[in-house]
Every structure is written in C-alpha cells, then in structure tokens.
C-alpha cells in the first residue's frame, strides 16, 4: 500500500514514511492510494477475532510487508494489553436499539488512547529500526496530551514535549499529564489559550531548520496511523452486535471535533462494513453540522462548552472527506482549500451536497441540552455519560428513526469531566487510577507564550 496526498503533489510513499511525514509536504493530508475492499466472507471470519487479532488483520491491509507480521503483531498486542477491559472497546446495551461503545478503557480514560498507544509503540519501533531519535512536539486542549505522553513515556529513542494552556484544562487532564516523572517527558503550561499553544507549535514546525535539526514529529490527529487504528472499533462493535443476533445495518453516532474519529467510520464503511448512518454530533461549535445541513463550511465564533475536546472551529481531517466527496481528485481539493484560505469558507452545492447528506446526518447539541442528556441517561438507564458522549447520545436520539439500531461512541470516561457532571448534582466515585493522581507530585513548567522561550526550553530538553 502506498500513500498519496489529497493535493496530489507528493509522490506515493510507504506506510512508515507516511507516519513520519504527518502533514503531507504539499500541505495536504495523506490517504491510502486505494481503499482495501473487505469481502462478505472475510467479514464473517473477522467476526470471530479478538480486538488485537482484528486490529492486526486491518493494519496488515494498510502496512503491507513494510513491517513483518510478527513485529506488527507484537506492536498491536503491546498497544492493547494496557487496556483495562478484556474486550478493549466493549459495547454496552442500554435498550433494544441503543448501545454505547466504550472507548475509554485505555490508560488515560479517553478514546485517544486507542490510536496513541499504537502510534507510540510504532514510533519507538521505527526509531529502533532506523537508529534515529524521534522528538514529538504537540499542543493539547487536554486529552491528546495525556494520551500521547502515556503512549511514549519511558520509551527508548523518543522524547515528547506537550504544551497545554495553563489552568485551562480539566483538573484530571492536568494531573494525568503533569504527574508523569519520566525523563523523556516535558510538560510546558503556557500562559494563554489552546490557540496560543497551537500557534507556537505551528510556527516551530514551519521553522524548517529547527524541525530538521531536532527531528520534530507531530502526534495530532492528521496522522494516518491514528485514523487506521480507529477504524478497528467500528468493525469490532458491529461484530459484537452481530454475535448477539443483530443483523443488517447499524448507525454510529460520533462526538466530533477534528473529524478524525468520524472519518475512521467513513473509511470502515468504504471498506465494506454495513454502516447505515454516520451521525455527526457537534457541540455549540457547530461548523460541521452547518456544513451537512447547508453545504457551507465556514468557521463561526469560538464557544467554550462542557465538551472542550470538541471546541474546534477548523476540523483538521475534513480535507480527507473532501477528497473522496470529489472523486479522489486532488485538483478540486487544492482549489477548494485555496478558496478556504482566501475566503474562509467552502460552499458545496447540488449533487455533492446530496452526497454529503447521504453520508452523514448531523446535529449540534447546546450546552444545556448536553447536561440534560447526562441527567436523562443517568435517571433512565443508570448510565453516566461524559459531556462529549452526551453530545453523541443527544444527536442519536434526535436523528435515529424509531427502532433503528444506533451505537453511540463514548469518547471519554465521566471522571475526566467531573466539573460538568457536578453541575447536575451527580456525584461519582473516581476510578482508583484517577483518584491516585491527586496524591502525586506534579512536574510542569509554566512559561509565557513567546516562541523564543519555548524554543530555548526545547533545545535544553533535547
Ligand atoms: C478528541 C476528542 C473528541 C473529538 O474527536 P475528533 O477525532 O477530533 O473528531 C471527542 N471526544 C473526546 C473526549 C475527545 O478527546
């Protein structure tokens, strides 16, 4: 399998180079040259596999022989052995048509572990194979940072520096990042917002001399390995229902920010999984919901919500969908992205808009509605949703037809967002691993927001 750019200016590269490149050199995003098609017979066989076995089969389709199968198997097994649930991503039944796919049983209690445990091991493997160091630099609004740090802490050949906005992440998120005392981890708390952190990272990556000299690599969700890792649980969830006697199509409702997770669902469908609707759930930052209903992709004003990991105006994976929407034509994508740069909007009309509306149903969930949903599910099912998952549940309830089978992706454990849950006077007991964080010392440096200051910190760290 080779990988190409959505903008067509990168000659096809292999899997490992695609992982290392992150953002394509022409400014586009990397996609597989062909999407592998999975036959009905193969799907039948896959139904019997455990999560790691299934992940191995799916990754094999995308990795070819670039990583020997035995090595790939070890990478996969190591990545999912850290999950607390035997099924890795279990499906819970709420009633005959409502299911929750729990993606939060990894080390940091958020779904990002599913991809970042794997990516961390993959980077470490590549570092050992190529005998080179890998320096990971990233910005986080909370979940990605903790998950990326857990993915690489203590690993040979890798150092990681994560910027987060000082005192603007949830308490548990802050503790998860800063209580880690491995020599290869540096936490910088920036006096500013998440956007300030992202701007610094962007500037440092744009400084080509600095980037090359220090072997900087990204971990953001545009990395194709993250998307591939996330396709696995769509298949796995479907198979879990099939084993319980369910047949036919299933809808998935996906709490969406950067469009990575729902794009993985779109890819699973294109590979041949029997997906009915992909429900795109947003919070009040509803650019993507507006796109699906009106065909206009245009950032609005930023809104702070109870689901901060979805507080995103420009969805970094969206370009991948445009590529498929326009028949895998890099010229059209290049034009559309140039138009977006010039006018800050993309408009899709006619047949293309009809296609968008066939691919997705979308709903934007208000702040109060999010909290109402948490209360409602707690009373009705005795099930506590985190505020991100609550957006998915609210959208699913709004859009699913009577009796239609819907799986809501649960992207975080409620303990990570207790601040929101307490607003509805619901008290929860923290899992032991989270409770323990409160007694640990923190390792973090508070810094101002200048590029120069961050650069100096990095140079002495590396
Ligand atoms: C990152 C994140 C999301 C959004 O996922 P995308 O792939 O960016 O769309 C949703 N919920 C939680 C808890 C997250 O951490």
């Amino acid at each position: 399998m080779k990988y190409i750019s959505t903008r067509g200016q990168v000659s096809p590269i292999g899997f490992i180079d695609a992982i290392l490149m992150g953002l394509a050199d022409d400014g586009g995003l990397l996609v597989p040259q062909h999407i592998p098609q999975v036959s009905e017979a193969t799907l039948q066989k896959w139904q019997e596999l455990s999560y790691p076995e299934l992940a191995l089969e799916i990754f094999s389709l995308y990795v070819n022989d670039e990583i020997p199968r035995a090595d790939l198997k070890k990478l996969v097994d190591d990545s999912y052995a850290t999950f607390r649930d035997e099924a890795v991503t279990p499906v819970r039944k709420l009633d005959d048509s409502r299911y929750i796919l729990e993606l939060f049983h990894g080390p940091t209690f958020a779904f990002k572990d599913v991809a970042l445990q794997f990516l961390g091991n993959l980077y470490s493997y590549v570092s050992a194979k190529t005998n080179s160091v890998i320096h990971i630099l990233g910005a986080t609004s909370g979940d990605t940072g903790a998950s990326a740090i857990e993915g690489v802490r203590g690993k040979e050949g890798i150092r990681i520096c994560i910027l987060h906005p000082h005192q603007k992440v949830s308490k548990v998120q802050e503790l998860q990042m800063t209580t880690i005392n491995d020599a290869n981890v540096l936490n910088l708390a920036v006096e500013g917002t998440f956007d300030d952190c992202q701007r610094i990272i962007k500037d440092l990556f744009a400084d080509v001399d600095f980037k090359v000299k220090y072997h900087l690599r990204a971990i953001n969700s545009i990395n194709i390995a993250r998307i591939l890792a996330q396709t696995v649980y769509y298949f796995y969830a479907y198979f879990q229902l099939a084993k319980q006697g369910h047949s036919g199509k299933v809808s998935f409702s996906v709490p969406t920010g950067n469009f990575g997770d729902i794009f993985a669902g779109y890819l699973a469908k294109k590979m041949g999984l029997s997906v009915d609707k992909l429900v795109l759930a947003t919070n009040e930052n509803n650019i993507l919901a507006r796109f699906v209903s009106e065909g206009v992709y245009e950032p609005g004003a930023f809104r702070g919500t109870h689901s901060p990991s979805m507080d995103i105006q420009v969805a970094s994976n969206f370009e991948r969908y445009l590529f498929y929407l326009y028949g895998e034509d890099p010229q059209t994508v290049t034009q559309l992205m140039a138009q977006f740069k010039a006018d800050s909007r993309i408009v899709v009309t006619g047949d293309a808009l009809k296609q968008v509306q066939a691919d997705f149903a979308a709903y934007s969930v208000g702040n109060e509605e999010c909290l109402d949903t948490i209360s409602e599910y707690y009373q009705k099912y005795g099930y506590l949703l985190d505020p991100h998952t609550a957006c998915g549940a609210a959208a699913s309830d709004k859009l699913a037809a009577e009796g239609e089978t819907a799986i809501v992706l649960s992207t975080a454990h409620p303990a990570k967002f207790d601040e929101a849950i307490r607003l509805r006077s619901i008290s929860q007991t923290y899992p032991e691993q989270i409770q323990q964080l409160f007694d640990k010392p923190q390792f973090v440096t508070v810094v101002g927001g200048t590029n120069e200051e961050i650069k100096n910190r990095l140079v002495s760290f590396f």
Side-chain angles (χ1 to χ4, degrees), residues 171-241:
K171 190 68 201 169
V172 170
Q173 287 176 326
E174 179 192 313
L175 291 171
Q176 283 181 328
M177 288 188 277
T178 60
T179 54
I180 295 208
N181 184 20
D182 286 280
N184 71 333
V185 176
L186 175 66
N187 276 293
L188 297 178
V190 175
E191 310 238 41
T193 63
F194 172 58
D195 283 337
D196 294 324
C197 298
Q198 263 194 319
R199 181 190 44 76
I200 296 166
I201 299 289
K202 241 178 133 174
D203 290 349
L204 293 181
F205 272 101
D207 182 344
V208 175
D209 292 341
F210 187 70
K211 177 181 163 184
V212 171
K213 180 166 179 204
Y214 291 101
H215 312 277
L216 295 190
R217 302 292 177 192
I219 37 92
N220 41 15
S221 72
I222 51 150
N223 200 302
I224 188 71
R226 289 185 59 178
I227 305 285
L228 298 180
Q230 292 171 18
T231 60
V232 176
Y233 49 67
Y234 285 90
F235 285 94
Y236 193 65
Y238 184 92
F239 296 149
Q240 286 181 74
L241 259 59

Side-chain angles (χ1 to χ4, degrees), residues 406-422:
I407 300 179
V408 176
L409 273 59
S410 178
T411 50
H413 190 286
K416 286 197 93 164
F417 299 96
D418 192 47
E419 288 90 340
I421 287 168
R422 257 183 292 157

Side-chain angles (χ1 to χ4, degrees), residues 50-332:
S50 69
Y51 190 97
E53 286 168 345
L54 178 63
L56 177 61
E57 293 308 321
I58 293 179
F59 293 156
S60 296
L61 299 174
Y62 288 93
V63 173
N64 286 350
D65 297 330
E66 241 186 277
I67 300 175
R69 191 172 165 97
D71 291 358
L72 188 61
K73 180 173 185 325
K74 182 165 185 334
L75 286 174
V76 168
D77 288 348
D78 289 350
S79 301
Y80 299 111
T82 57
F83 279 62
R84 292 176 302 277
D85 195 285
E86 204 187 349
V88 181
T89 63
V91 174
R92 308 275 178 230
K93 182 172 183 171
L94 296 186
D95 65 27
D96 281 343
S97 58
R98 270 194 192 72
Y99 296 83
I100 304 274
L101 170 56
E102 293 183 347
L103 302 174
F104 54 71
H105 295 284
T108 73
F109 293 79
F111 92 101
K112 292 194 167 70
D113 291 334
V114 177
L116 286 169
Q117 283 288 302
F118 179 64
L119 188 59
N121 285 320
L122 194 60
Y123 270 150
S124 174
Y125 176 83
V126 170
S127 160
K129 279 268 152 172
T130 58
N131 204 8
S132 56
V133 290
I134 288 180
H135 288 153
I136 297 170
L137 181 59
T140 185
S141 60
D143 282 342
T144 306
S147 190
I149 289 170
E150 275 298 336
V152 303
R153 62 183 291 193
K155 292 212 162 96
E156 198 105 356
I158 302 187
R159 290 196 189 92
I160 185 167
C161 170
I162 295 291
L163 273 51
H164 71 264
H166 185 45
Q167 291 179 336
K168 290 196 181 71
V169 299
S170 87
K171 190 68 201 169
V172 170
Q173 287 176 326
E174 179 192 313
L175 291 171
Q176 283 181 328
M177 288 188 277
T178 60
T179 54
I180 295 208
N181 184 20
D182 286 280
N184 71 333
V185 176
L186 175 66
N187 276 293
L188 297 178
V190 175
E191 310 238 41
T193 63
F194 172 58
D195 283 337
D196 294 324
C197 298
Q198 263 194 319
R199 181 190 44 76
I200 296 166
I201 299 289
K202 241 178 133 174
D203 290 349
L204 293 181
F205 272 101
D207 182 344
V208 175
D209 292 341
F210 187 70
K211 177 181 163 184
V212 171
K213 180 166 179 204
Y214 291 101
H215 312 277
L216 295 190
R217 302 292 177 192
I219 37 92
N220 41 15
S221 72
I222 51 150
N223 200 302
I224 188 71
R226 289 185 59 178
I227 305 285
L228 298 180
Q230 292 171 18
T231 60
V232 176
Y233 49 67
Y234 285 90
F235 285 94
Y236 193 65
Y238 184 92
F239 296 149
Q240 286 181 74
L241 259 59
K243 276 194 188 158
Q244 294 168 26
H246 182 275
S247 63
K249 293 195 166 187
V250 170
S251 290
F252 289 91
S253 182
V254 189
T256 296
N258 268 321
F259 204 81
D261 204 4
I262 197 161
F263 183 79
Y266 177 78
L267 188 59
K269 188 174 180 177
K270 278 203 164 292
M271 288 170 71
L273 186 67
S274 207
V275 175
D276 188 2
K277 264 189 228 135
L278 284 168
V279 174
L280 190 160
T282 71
N283 61 26
E284 294 186 3
N285 297 283
N286 62 358
I287 173 171
L288 288 167
R290 280 185 285 123
F291 170 70
V292 173
S293 59
E294 298 157 25
V296 179
Y297 180 80
E298 183 176 31
F302 176 89
R303 314 275 289 249
T305 71
H306 301 304
S307 46
S309 299
M310 294 157 63
D311 287 350
I312 282 160
Q313 286 294 334
V314 178
S316 55
N317 275 287
F318 183 63
E319 183 171 338
R320 285 198 169 102
Y321 174 63
L322 286 178
F323 182 70
Y324 292 102
L325 179 63
Y326 287 99
E328 305 183 32
D329 172 18
Q331 259 137 15
T332 307

